[in-house]
Amino acid sequence: MADPALSFVIERTGDLLIQKIVFLEGVRRQVERLQKDLVRMRCFLKDADQRQDKDARIRNWVSEIRAAAYDAEDIIEIFASKVEFLTKDKGLVTKLTYYPLKIVNLYKIGKEIESLRMRLKEIADCREEYGIKNLGEEMTTHGEDLQRLRRSFPFSEDKDIVGFEEITKSLVAELLKEDRNRRVVSIVSMGGAGKTTLAKKVYNHAHVRERFNCCAWVCVSSSYDHKKTLRAIIKQLNEMSNEQLEKMEEEDLEGRLHQDLQDKCYLVVLDDVWKQEAWDCLARAFPDVGTSSRLLLTSRDRDVAQHADAYSHPYELKTLGVEDSWQLFLRKALGHGDNAGCPPDLEEVGREITRRCDGLPLAITVIGGLLLAKKKLKSEWEKILNNFSTYLSRSQSGVSAILELSYADLPANLKFCFLYLGLFPEDSVISVRKLIHMWVAEGIMQKRDTENLEETAAYDNVEELSSRNMVQVAEMTVDERIKSCRVHDLLRQVAIRKAKDENFFQIHDTRDDEISAKSRYLAVHSLPWDKKYVGSSTPPLRSLLFFNVHDYRKNISLNFKSFKKLRILDLENVKMSYNLPEGIGEVRLLRYLGLRRTSIGRLPHSFCCLRNLQTLDIRNSYPVRVSNFIWKLESLRHLYACRMECDVPLKIDGLRNLQTLLGVNFDDIMHNNMITLTSLQKLGIWVGERSEIDKLCLHLSEVENLKTLHLYRNITTVWPSLAGLSKLHHVTELKLSGMFLRKLPPDFPPNLSRLSLKNTFLRNDPMPVLEKLGQLSFLKMKDAYRGPQHMVISRHGFHQLKFLELRYLRVDEIKVEEGALPQLQCLRIRECYSLEKLPEELKHISSLDALELVDMPEDFISGLDADMVSSVPNLRIF
């Protein structure tokens, strides 16, 4: 398929016929003919795909088809939206009043469709001139087969490291040298050779963690931002809020960091430093006061490393040798462990593929990920090998060629998803949940059956991109789902290059950037920004995303009338006026609106026009006022708020698509028929002192899909009685957050498997109650207990618990009796500053795989029992 988005646009014109059939009467036949024209054009795209890289005329030809397809979808959807607004849920008199407007719109869309069909005819006439052949209707099934394949092993960056053993030992020894001066230890290599992977291995080495009492990691990157880098380091060393840090000027940030490190033996990793100027700016913030502190620096430029410390010889990370390359290739391509062999019929071609990767770990990892998703047939591997020369010719290093080969092998939907990742700034840690909402809003996810499972398909796409090593996992959840991800900078450059070739998106990162009038996807990475800059060219944008603009001092105002084709608008962290402009109601195709951490305090009444909105994120540090229109947003799936306020009880019943509702008040819930929210899975409620939880639980007991319930309080009066939770048979996850809970509920949901207690200040040891919850497998406690100075887990307590996190608990001892926690797999203890030692019984829990100690006192770490440490397979000290 020549274009990653075009196939879906063509399919969606057909889908719109089905979804909006009632509103398209009168132009249905014209729309059907237009859709058939687009399908016919698709017949020639496979041949164009094979030749467009060599022929700019063919690229332009494909671009013209894409533009026509986008325009077709926009025309149909805007028209259907207008007619729906004029007629749906209206009385007979109103419908008659709007009838002339409907006729006018029918005439307009008819003219626009005919004009569009003429454009397509002209495009088709150029086909023979360019020598493009008809290769048939059949779309490639190869990519579809790859979608069905699941990865055979969980992603683990450290698991498959090869060839770094000796250099790791050398780096650790260098960091631990008895030299009281502050020294810089550097790792230098070309991009993709594994600098960051090696630095992470050294940074997390047990001996290194024992030596330094203060550690931080920051990625500097090519687009260096001094204030942002300083904030990132300071935040790892202090409990400072974003608001506090954002108020500090550059000189103050440097002074604060210097002060924080003044008497510390610190280790700071500066990953991916591109310029000497970046080091010069940072160097003055790192004190050199005879504490044996170290900086570990990675760079592609040897001069940068030598400039940082002329007395320290940079460690050059060479490419892998033949056998190390082969072992890494086997792990990635076959999913095998150490010393595993290769099927005899694949070895010859496999070794040739490995040879062509030139020992570059990133290249081997990516090509291995590609092969992992393929059938283990010699013919399949030979196809990859035979295409190498074509791709290698595009790049002097060959790395981009290999990465582009992986891109070319992606199915059309994954190509779209991968290119979309290129909109995010370099080194971004991307929330998978947010990414999924955006992809679904773009309409590229196909429903698998009658249920609404587009988000499941979107998550599967993230997993497949991860399994192909096209994205890197940044953070996993306890149940081993990908929570956040990032794109390696080389792969991001591939995405940007391909997007430019295909006119897919545009990134605005300097004031002088000219925004194309043809842009459909625009990411703004740099401000100040001329308020009229976009408005003057009025591109037909579908996505408008803002990043890294929270330092911009002026309010940003948008002319929403210029963006009537927008599906996605993300303004997270953007400073805007207190009230969202009424003009937002003009953007009726909008499906995703991100207003998180903006200064928006009120949503205008025109919001009720956003009938297509699927995701609304208004999580701010203070309540957001809304008019009583939420019930009209019939497509709404996810509503994220810290807290919403309304002058009258907020109506939400009837929202059959709503899956997530966070930040709603107790009284608003009680005024609605919650049974009508048939898709609701996650609910977060603010409760007051007089809230009757028993009645709430009865009210929610028949909401069959409700799995997660959050109850919050933010005032210092005591909680209401929490009786009645046992009525919630469907709830499997419960979160209680707020001060002065005093004591635990008398009962819990009978099928509860996940429990989180945050800032509850319990007076009595909660373990005797919690350990009896028979299905509990996940427990997190943060500042949950302020009673006597010890807790006790009794014999056979928590017989199903697999994950336990204890944070900010003011206890000096945790007793674990023999036979307790028999299923425990991971124990995380974080910032429990009074805790003197670990329970001795942990060494006898055979299931315990990981012990994570985060920000614990130096005395605690140094006093760890050696037998305990050796008994746990994975000890991680952060």
Side-chain angles (χ1 to χ4, degrees):
M1 183 65 194
D3 184 273
L6 186 52
S7 177
F8 296 103
V9 177
I10 294 172
E11 293 296 333
R12 283 199 297 258
T13 58
D15 292 341
L16 285 170
L17 276 171
I18 299 170
Q19 297 168 11
K20 307 291 185 181
I21 189 68
V22 175
F23 308 108
L24 292 175
E25 289 297 338
V27 291
R28 176 180 174 181
R29 289 185 180 179
Q30 290 167 290
V31 173
E32 287 175 341
R33 286 196 293 267
L34 176 60
Q35 205 257 348
K36 288 178 181 177
D37 290 343
L38 288 168
V39 170
R40 277 193 291 270
M41 296 300 293
R42 189 175 62 179
C43 300
F44 310 108
L45 290 175
K46 187 173 182 180
D47 183 52
D49 189 22
Q50 297 172 359
R51 299 168 52 204
Q52 65 170 329
D53 289 320
K54 297 180 180 179
D55 194 330
R57 297 180 306 165
I58 295 179
R59 281 203 301 274
N60 292 333
W61 186 79
V62 173
S63 179
E64 289 177 16
I65 298 177
R66 182 195 314 109
Y70 275 132
D71 287 343
E73 185 188 8
D74 290 341
I75 289 169
I76 295 167
E77 200 161 5
I78 290 172
F79 168 77
S81 179
K82 284 182 179 178
V83 175
E84 185 175 4
F85 179 76
L86 295 173
T87 59
K88 191 172 182 179
D89 302 325
K90 301 290 194 300
L92 178 60
V93 174
T94 305
K95 287 182 179 179
L96 290 173
T97 302
Y98 285 141
Y99 186 75
L101 285 175
K102 181 180 178 181
I103 297 299
V104 170
N105 281 306
L106 277 170
Y107 176 78
K108 286 183 177 179
I109 189 177
K111 298 291 288 183
E112 288 177 345
I113 289 175
E114 288 307 311
S115 175
L116 201 52
R117 292 192 69 201
M118 288 298 296
R119 274 174 60 190
L120 287 172
K121 186 178 184 304
E122 292 173 0
I123 294 170
D125 290 342
C126 295
R127 179 179 63 83
E128 292 184 5
E129 177 184 344
Y130 298 156
I132 300 170
K133 300 174 183 178
N134 181 356
L135 298 185
E137 290 277 357
E138 183 181 358
M139 300 295 290
T140 178
T141 60
H142 177 59
E144 294 169 359
D145 290 338
L146 290 180
Q147 285 187 73
R148 299 188 186 99
L149 291 174
R150 307 290 295 182
R151 59 180 181 173
S152 60
F153 58 94
F155 181 91
S156 175
E157 183 175 351
D158 292 333
K159 176 183 175 183
D160 294 327
I161 293 178
V162 297
F164 288 173
E165 292 81 9
E166 292 304 315
I167 193 171
T168 299
K169 291 179 183 177
S170 298
L171 283 165
V172 170
E174 186 73 19
L175 291 175
L176 300 181
K177 271 186 180 178
E178 293 299 326
D179 184 341
R180 299 194 64 82
N181 294 317
R182 183 202 74 186
R183 305 311 300 262
V184 180
V185 179
S186 300
I187 306 170
V188 176
S189 77
M190 64 177 295
K195 298 184 298 295
T196 300
T197 301
L198 176 59
K200 188 176 294 186
K201 187 175 179 68
V202 172
Y203 182 73
N204 291 314
H205 194 281
H207 293 161
V208 171
R209 284 294 180 167
E210 290 171 3
R211 169 68 174 273
F212 299 96
N213 56 32
C214 182
C215 298
W217 177 295
V218 64
C219 185
V220 179
S221 80
S222 59
S223 55
Y224 174 64
D225 183 325
H226 188 48
K227 292 172 70 175
K228 181 179 177 182
T229 303
L230 291 170
R231 288 187 192 120
I233 301 172
I234 293 171
K235 199 168 182 183
Q236 293 176 64
L237 307 175
N238 293 282
E239 287 291 326
M240 292 187 70
S241 68
N242 290 326
E243 291 76 12
Q244 289 175 299
L245 288 170
E246 287 170 5
K247 291 177 182 178
M248 297 174 69
E249 296 300 327
E250 187 171 291
E251 186 175 341
D252 298 326
L253 290 167
E254 290 178 359
R256 179 56 191 258
L257 179 56
H258 195 278
Q259 176 185 334
D260 289 341
L261 298 175
Q262 184 66 34
D263 58 350
K264 303 287 196 312
C265 176
Y266 61 83
L267 170 65
V268 177
V269 176
L270 303 175
D271 187 35
D272 199 22
V273 182
W274 286 63
K275 296 181 176 64
Q276 296 180 14
E277 293 78 8
W279 164 256
D280 290 337
C281 289
L282 286 168
R284 54 180 176 259
F286 296 118
D288 186 3
V289 288
T291 57
S292 300
S293 294
R294 301 288 183 266
L295 292 117
L296 181 59
L297 181 149
T298 76
S299 179
R300 299 183 185 190
D301 190 335
R302 183 183 181 88
D303 290 341
V304 171
Q306 290 183 326
H307 175 77
D309 192 338
Y311 298 100
S312 179
H313 185 71
Y315 283 79
E316 294 234 31
L317 187 56
K318 304 294 184 181
T319 54
L320 297 177
V322 174
E323 279 310 305
D324 283 335
S325 294
W326 179 239
Q327 288 302 316
L328 180 58
F329 174 79
L330 291 179
R331 294 185 188 191
K332 294 299 184 181
L334 299 176
H336 291 170
D338 291 330
N339 302 315
C342 179
D345 62 321
L346 296 178
E347 182 162 350
E348 182 178 353
V349 63
R351 284 193 178 274
E352 180 60 19
I353 290 172
T354 306
R355 186 188 69 78
R356 296 200 184 187
C357 290
D358 294 326
L360 194 65
L362 179 61
I364 297 170
T365 297
V366 172
I367 205 74
L370 186 156
L371 290 169
L372 182 63
K374 290 186 174 294
K375 296 177 181 179
K376 304 302 180 287
L377 298 175
K378 185 176 181 180
S379 59
E380 290 290 337
W381 285 32
E382 284 178 339
K383 287 179 183 177
I384 300 298
L385 181 59
N386 292 336
N387 282 316
F388 258 62
S389 58
T390 301
Y391 286 90
L392 288 171
S393 64
R394 299 183 196 165
S395 170
Q396 291 181 350
S397 67
V399 180
S400 297
I402 293 171
L403 298 180
E404 287 191 17
L405 176 60
S406 293
Y407 168 79
D409 193 65
L410 292 174
N413 64 321
L414 285 183
K415 281 185 178 179
F416 182 100
C417 294
F418 176 71
L419 292 186
Y420 206 90
L421 291 168
L423 289 164
F424 291 80
E426 182 182 350
D427 297 317
S428 291
V429 175
I430 305 168
S431 163
V432 168
R433 177 188 296 169
K434 179 175 181 176
L435 193 60
I436 286 172
H437 292 337
M438 287 181 166
W439 286 348
V440 172
E442 284 293 343
I444 64 170
M445 298 302 151
Q446 305 300 307
K447 291 187 179 181
R448 298 179 173 179
D449 49 37
T450 55
E451 296 183 20
N452 185 12
L453 294 177
E454 295 103 318
E455 296 190 356
T456 301
Y459 177 77
D460 288 346
N461 281 1
V462 175
E463 280 213 322
E464 185 161 356
L465 286 171
S466 171
S467 71
R468 292 165 172 264
N469 294 289
M470 298 293 281
V471 300
Q472 298 174 336
V473 174
E475 185 178 4
M476 300 285 286
T477 62
V478 175
D479 50 0
E480 297 188 343
R481 288 176 64 84
I482 303 173
K483 185 175 182 179
S484 60
C485 64
R486 64 181 297 274
V487 183
H488 191 282
D489 56 353
L490 289 179
L491 282 164
R492 178 175 174 269
Q493 290 302 318
V494 170
I496 292 172
R497 185 164 54 252
K498 300 301 293 184
K500 182 179 180 181
D501 289 345
E502 298 169 5
N503 293 320
F504 182 81
F505 65 64
Q506 185 175 0
I507 294 175
H508 177 86
D509 54 12
T510 72
R511 185 181 178 88
D512 298 327
D513 278 353
E514 182 180 351
I515 297 178
S516 169
K518 296 181 179 181
S519 291
R520 301 276 177 174
Y521 304 90
L522 176 63
V524 178
H525 290 188
S526 176
L527 288 174
W529 191 44
D530 187 343
K531 294 180 182 179
K532 297 180 180 179
Y533 203 53
V534 169
S536 61
S537 59
T538 59
L541 292 177
R542 300 169 69 91
S543 289
L544 176 57
L545 315 177
F546 288 81
F547 298 101
N548 299 331
V549 296
H550 48 273
D551 285 337
Y552 186 59
R553 299 295 181 184
K554 299 178 182 178
N555 286 326
I556 295 175
S557 61
L558 296 173
N559 180 10
F560 288 113
K561 290 183 179 180
S562 300
F563 303 125
K564 291 187 177 182
K565 298 178 181 180
L566 267 184
R567 272 74 167 176
I568 294 178
L569 176 60
D570 187 21
L571 294 161
E572 183 172 340
N573 286 318
V574 173
K575 181 179 175 64
M576 295 189 69
S577 57
Y578 177 75
N579 293 330
L580 194 66
E582 286 283 341
I584 188 67
E586 299 284 340
V587 195
R588 292 180 184 170
L589 301 184
L590 197 64
R591 296 178 183 136
Y592 178 98
L593 178 58
L595 298 171
R596 190 176 186 183
R597 289 194 287 268
T598 63
S599 51
I600 298 297
R602 176 184 290 274
L603 299 182
H605 188 73
S606 65
F607 222 82
C608 65
C609 298
L610 304 182
R611 298 292 186 95
N612 293 296
L613 193 65
Q614 297 173 350
T615 300
L616 173 62
D617 191 342
I618 50 174
R619 284 175 286 184
N620 289 312
S621 57
Y622 42 81
V624 176
R625 300 200 65 82
V626 298
S627 300
N628 201 7
F629 53 70
I630 296 294
W631 63 275
K632 295 183 180 180
L633 307 180
E634 58 196 31
S635 300
L636 195 63
R637 299 181 183 185
H638 306 282
L639 174 51
Y640 299 100
C642 286
R643 189 163 190 171
M644 290 183 292
E645 293 185 350
C646 188
D647 296 330
V648 296
L650 189 65
K651 184 179 178 182
I652 53 175
D653 54 13
L655 293 176
R656 299 186 181 277
N657 293 304
L658 192 64
Q659 300 172 31
T660 306
L661 176 60
L662 302 181
V664 66
N665 288 319
F666 173 87
D667 290 339
D668 292 328
I669 293 294
M670 298 304 293
H671 277 90
N672 284 273
N673 181 6
M674 299 299 290
I675 298 176
T676 64
L677 276 64
T678 54
S679 299
L680 189 64
Q681 299 175 23
K682 184 179 292 187
L683 177 62
I685 305 171
W686 286 96
V687 298
E689 185 177 356
R690 298 181 180 179
S691 299
E692 298 179 80
I693 304 300
D694 187 63
K695 290 185 178 180
L696 171 69
C697 294
L698 181 63
H699 194 56
L700 298 176
S701 62
E702 295 185 36
V703 185
E704 295 186 356
N705 286 313
L706 184 62
K707 303 298 181 188
T708 302
L709 178 65
H710 301 198
L711 298 178
Y712 325 103
R713 281 177 63 75
N714 66 346
I715 52 179
T716 57
T717 54
V718 297
W719 278 68
S721 168
L722 290 177
L725 290 172
S726 61
K727 298 184 178 74
L728 300 176
H729 290 267
H730 303 292
V731 170
T732 59
E733 180 175 3
L734 177 66
K735 297 186 179 183
L736 302 177
S737 178
M739 296 181 286
F740 300 105
L741 179 58
R742 301 301 189 194
K743 63 180 181 179
L744 289 170
D747 48 27
F748 285 88
N751 295 305
L752 189 69
S753 63
R754 300 170 70 94
L755 176 63
S756 176
L757 302 174
K758 181 179 178 181
N759 302 330
T760 51
F761 302 172
L762 294 166
R763 291 180 172 178
N764 298 319
D765 182 359
M767 294 308 183
V769 174
L770 299 180
E771 68 183 15
K772 294 181 176 64
L773 297 177
Q775 298 189 46
L776 195 67
S777 62
F778 174 98
L779 175 61
K780 291 180 72 171
M781 299 175 64
K782 178 182 177 183
D783 207 357
Y785 173 53
R786 290 191 174 181
Q789 298 303 301
H790 66 272
M791 294 194 305
V792 180
I793 301 175
S794 64
R795 181 181 180 87
H796 303 308
F798 293 114
H799 67 271
Q800 291 293 331
L801 198 69
K802 293 181 173 60
F803 175 85
L804 175 61
E805 176 176 308
L806 306 175
R807 183 178 182 186
Y808 283 142
L809 295 187
R810 302 180 183 182
V811 294
D812 52 28
E813 183 180 17
I814 301 172
K815 295 181 180 179
V816 177
E817 296 182 357
E818 184 180 355
L821 299 164
Q823 303 294 325
L824 189 66
Q825 296 175 6
C826 179
L827 172 63
R828 181 183 297 156
I829 298 179
R830 183 172 183 177
E831 297 161 302
C832 294
Y833 301 119
S834 301
L835 189 64
E836 296 176 358
K837 64 179 181 177
L838 290 170
E840 292 186 5
E841 281 301 319
L842 289 180
K843 69 178 71 172
H844 302 303
I845 300 176
S846 59
S847 61
L848 188 61
D849 177 70
L851 174 61
E852 299 179 359
L853 305 174
V854 184
D855 294 331
M856 292 295 289
E858 182 179 351
D859 291 344
F860 179 90
I861 300 299
S862 62
L864 288 174
D865 181 85
D867 291 340
M868 170 105 42
V869 171
S870 62
S871 67
V872 181
N874 295 293
L875 173 64
R876 304 185 185 109
I877 301 175
F878 302 100

